[in-house]
Amino acid sequence: MSPAAPRPSVLFVCVHNAGRSQMAAAFLTHLAGAEVEVRSAGSAPADSVNPAAVAVMAEAGIDITAETPKILTTEAVQTSDVVITMGCGDTCPVFPGKRYLDWQLDDPAGQGVDAVRPIRDEIEQRVRGLLAELGITATA
């Protein structure tokens, strides 16, 4: 990406913003560094991030213990170039000129780490694919 090009912005959306969207945002932040502006949000945010998601991300060397679920706002969608829903049927406000993707992923809610690991691994692969589509080289 050339220095003159604006930094792309990606928003990950899931109902509770406690598992899939948090893992996706953490992977994108970890792999893209400052090359991408990363947000995550949910229409009905949980009180805290899913402990199994925190545990499996720690196994991957990424600490998300300080993250908190955030409410989805129209402004977050308006200021994002790419909006990715996490296969949870969440609806986002639709604005022209935005790229919308829906990643069909199993829900880690109520699952143990053994069930969440494959979800984490699939999210990492999808994030790496997204970086390639954006023309950004992963830093890790």
Side-chain angles (χ1 to χ4, degrees):
M1 190 166 171
S2 70
R7 187 169 71 136
S9 175
V10 177
L11 170 64
F12 293 101
V13 179
C14 194
V15 174
H16 299 299
N17 188 222
R20 294 166 287 195
S21 54
Q22 290 284 352
M23 289 189 285
F27 270 123
L28 186 54
T29 299
H30 179 73
L31 296 170
E35 296 293 312
V36 179
E37 185 178 354
V38 182
R39 296 183 191 91
S40 71
S43 56
D47 292 330
S48 61
V49 175
N50 179 331
V54 172
V56 299
M57 291 304 287
E59 291 174 359
I62 301 172
D63 181 4
I64 63 170
T65 56
E67 297 300 323
T68 55
K70 293 165 277 311
I71 187 74
L72 177 64
T73 64
T74 300
E75 180 186 357
V77 177
Q78 282 178 308
T79 58
S80 298
D81 299 308
V82 181
V83 179
I84 302 172
T85 54
M86 299 273 135
C88 42
D90 227 4
T91 56
C92 289
V94 176
F95 296 97
K98 307 289 176 200
R99 181 172 174 206
Y100 293 88
L101 302 171
D102 183 44
W103 291 355
Q104 294 291 324
L105 298 161
D106 291 336
D107 188 350
Q111 304 288 327
V113 292
D114 289 339
V116 178
R117 275 188 201 107
I119 300 168
R120 173 204 62 200
D121 294 345
E122 183 173 351
I123 289 170
E124 180 182 8
Q125 290 310 308
R126 288 178 184 240
V127 166
R128 287 181 181 277
L130 176 67
L131 280 172
E133 289 173 26
L134 294 173
I136 296 169
T137 304
T139 59

